[in-house]
Amino acid sequence: MSIQMLGIDHMKASIDVRTVFSFTKKAIGETLEKWKEHPQIAGCVILSTCNRMEIWVSSVEEELDLYDLLCQEKKVDPKEYEEYVVCRREGEAVQHLFELACGLQSRILGEDQIITQVKDALTLARDQYATDNVLEVLFRMAVTAAKKVKTEVTLSDANSSAIHKAVQELKEQGYCFTGKNCMVIGNGEMGKLSANVFREQGASVTVTVRQYRSGVVQIPDGCSRIDYGKRLELLPSCDYVVSATSSPNYTLTRESLEALHLDHDVVMIDLAVPRDIEVAVNELDHVTLYDIDYFKADHTSAQVKENIKKAEAILDVQMHEFFDWYEGRDVIEQVQVIKKQATEDFHLRIQKQVRELQRTAQEKAPQEVEQIDRLQEYVEAAAGKVINKMIFGMKSRLSDQAFRECIEAIGDVFRE
């Protein structure tokens, strides 16, 4: 069994390259449905966001060529894009996922959205019955580690999303938002966040809603709504436009904006992959276009470097737990049987003393009988934990062969 990962992300690939390999939720479902039937794939998860596309596979053989599989799916020439691809295996792949989940690999350090995206990727794969126990445990433990990092370490301030970074940089360039008009195209997670951010900055915000959904879609408090089809009617009165949809087509094109004859400056922020706004609109008078690749964070301060070290130390501990499970997963069932048998043996050995305590309590203090029962449960649970600690303590100190011989010997003791 082998853990493999293939990725294309913002560190090596531009937004246009990432667009080629991006997946919609529907496409992920369809692809997983096919790939789970592949004879070499035991489990598969696909993560596709604005900044990255990653394929995670638990494979039967190490020779599986994920890049070739991806290029077949996307119908592209492998030679054209191979320079943008990163492949990782086993320990390197595991470390990457743990760092990714807590935001150490994000464009904006410690961003909050990535942990949800990792969880959602696992859920989507699970819904397609495309995961196996290796990927299930790996992703769950990576998310748990990320939560621990976010609880104990400050990697960034509370405002750590792409739109927060965009607003911050625009402020530094001298832009203001109070009293300005902003249109947000898209009412998904990023669209709602963008609307809230601009509203908090003092702007008057209008959110577009697809006409066929306008009666049921909730928009952020304090914002107005218009049908998506009327966005060009509203645009000439806007100072800012944010587009954040999952549409495969442009929400704004150069041709559509040229017809508006804008007479004042409009800042446009495109947070989508694939692009929502045609790049050529930046050539028009009064239009300044920023895409998601424009906004980058500075991770170089001494305090940030110190916090990164703290996060890495937490991840090291959590990854060690995963490797303990991964390397010994084939003996987990044996360990559980031993734990059960040892606890039952312990239970039988203390029954005489427990019954004597219960008799005495019944005669002198009946209300304590229930407490004795609870104490017995606590003691037996503690015994199970001690046995577990002892067994996996041996694993960390013995060679793999010696550990397996010990497990077999302990099992024999309880089978006698």
Side-chain angles (χ1 to χ4, degrees):
M1 188 65 72
S2 172
I3 297 174
Q4 299 182 55
M5 168 265 170
L6 178 142
I8 296 173
D9 62 35
H10 63 91
M11 295 183 185
K12 296 183 68 173
S14 69
I15 186 173
D16 295 314
V17 173
R18 300 200 305 274
T19 294
V20 174
F21 294 97
S22 66
F23 284 84
T24 63
K25 284 186 178 181
K26 180 181 178 182
I28 289 175
E30 293 171 347
T31 302
L32 290 175
E33 191 69 27
K34 287 187 288 186
W35 286 359
K36 71 181 184 182
E37 303 300 328
H38 193 289
Q40 289 179 263
I41 294 178
C44 184
V45 176
I46 298 176
L47 171 68
S48 186
T49 73
C50 293
N51 289 323
R52 69 187 71 252
M53 189 292 301
E54 296 185 354
I55 300 169
W56 292 84
V57 163
S58 174
S59 61
V60 178
E61 299 177 19
E62 293 189 6
E63 289 73 22
L64 178 62
D65 190 337
L66 283 181
Y67 182 52
D68 183 62
L69 199 63
L70 174 64
C71 290
Q72 290 180 38
E73 184 67 26
K74 292 296 184 179
K75 296 180 174 56
V76 298
D77 181 358
K79 295 180 181 178
E80 187 175 355
Y81 297 101
E82 58 187 353
E83 66 183 286
Y84 305 108
V85 175
V86 175
C87 298
R88 300 180 175 91
R89 295 178 184 271
E90 300 300 333
E92 185 184 5
V94 170
Q95 180 176 350
H96 173 77
L97 181 61
F98 274 70
E99 292 179 351
L100 173 69
C102 71
L104 287 181
Q105 296 290 341
S106 296
R107 179 188 302 278
I108 299 173
L109 184 67
E111 61 146 320
D112 295 327
Q113 290 179 304
I114 187 62
I115 188 171
T116 300
Q117 291 165 343
V118 170
K119 287 193 294 185
D120 289 347
L122 175 61
T123 299
L124 187 52
R126 187 184 295 142
D127 290 343
Q128 297 296 323
Y129 303 99
T131 61
D132 67 340
N133 68 324
V134 171
L135 293 184
E136 282 277 356
V137 173
L138 173 59
F139 271 69
R140 287 203 308 266
M141 292 185 74
V143 169
T144 298
K147 290 179 179 178
K148 188 173 179 64
V149 168
K150 288 184 176 295
T151 299
E152 300 182 15
V153 181
T154 302
L155 290 174
S156 64
D157 59 29
N159 298 330
S160 53
S161 70
I163 191 61
H164 283 107
K165 184 62 181 174
V167 167
Q168 177 187 333
E169 291 207 11
L170 290 174
K171 280 185 174 181
E172 291 172 359
Q173 294 178 34
Y175 289 95
C176 66
F177 304 94
T178 303
K180 302 295 185 178
N181 293 323
C182 173
M183 176 169 60
V184 176
I185 302 175
N187 193 38
E189 182 181 351
M190 181 55 76
K192 290 177 180 176
L193 179 59
S194 299
N196 279 323
V197 169
F198 270 87
R199 185 177 53 77
E200 290 166 1
Q201 293 295 321
S204 175
V205 180
T206 301
V207 178
T208 68
V209 177
R210 294 284 184 176
Q211 189 171 11
Y212 66 92
R213 299 175 59 193
S214 60
V216 295
V217 174
Q218 297 296 316
I219 64 172
D221 292 340
C223 299
S224 303
R225 69 162 67 192
I226 61 166
D227 290 339
Y228 172 80
K230 296 181 179 180
R231 66 195 183 284
L232 293 175
E233 297 176 23
L234 179 66
L235 199 148
S237 64
C238 294
D239 303 289
Y240 298 95
V241 175
V242 180
S243 193
T245 78
S246 57
S247 171
N249 304 312
Y250 289 132
T251 57
L252 295 173
T253 64
R254 173 173 177 152
E255 182 180 5
S256 64
L257 293 182
E258 278 182 320
L260 299 179
H261 304 294
L262 297 174
D263 60 2
H264 69 284
D265 293 341
V266 180
V267 173
M268 298 188 177
I269 303 171
D270 186 351
L271 298 178
V273 177
R275 295 178 187 272
D276 270 354
I277 303 176
E278 187 178 13
V279 175
V281 305
N282 209 28
E283 300 169 4
L284 299 176
D285 292 338
H286 299 299
V287 175
T288 303
L289 173 64
Y290 298 96
D291 62 34
I292 196 169
D293 282 356
Y294 179 83
F295 303 106
K296 299 179 181 179
D298 179 12
H299 299 173
T300 59
S301 73
Q303 184 59 58
V304 167
K305 289 180 179 179
E306 183 64 28
N307 289 347
I308 290 174
K309 289 181 181 179
K310 292 178 182 178
E312 289 173 341
I314 293 172
L315 295 183
D316 283 343
V317 173
Q318 302 295 310
M319 283 189 288
H320 185 73
E321 289 186 13
F322 171 76
F323 287 122
D324 278 348
W325 173 86
Y326 182 60
E327 293 167 5
R329 65 192 184 281
D330 58 328
V331 297
I332 291 293
E333 186 174 346
Q334 281 180 275
V335 171
Q336 294 301 322
V337 170
I338 290 171
K339 181 178 175 181
K340 181 175 182 293
Q341 291 172 332
T343 303
E344 289 174 351
D345 186 284
F346 177 80
H347 174 83
L348 293 172
R349 292 176 187 276
I350 67 171
Q351 279 310 292
K352 182 178 179 180
Q353 291 79 8
V354 170
R355 284 195 293 268
E356 183 62 35
L357 286 172
Q358 289 173 330
R359 251 192 323 266
T360 302
Q362 190 67 47
E363 294 171 359
K364 298 181 178 180
Q367 70 276 10
E368 293 183 4
V369 173
E370 186 177 343
Q371 293 179 358
I372 292 172
D373 290 339
R374 285 203 301 269
L375 178 60
Q376 182 182 6
E377 293 175 2
Y378 294 151
V379 170
E380 290 178 3
K385 291 180 180 179
V386 169
I387 294 164
N388 215 50
K389 183 177 181 180
M390 177 188 69
I391 290 175
F392 285 99
M394 286 194 305
K395 185 179 185 306
S396 65
R397 290 167 174 79
L398 300 175
S399 67
D400 184 64
Q401 181 178 348
F403 173 69
R404 293 173 186 276
E405 289 173 355
C406 287
I407 290 296
E408 192 65 33
I410 295 172
D412 289 342
V413 168
F414 287 105
R415 283 191 290 269
E416 292 176 353

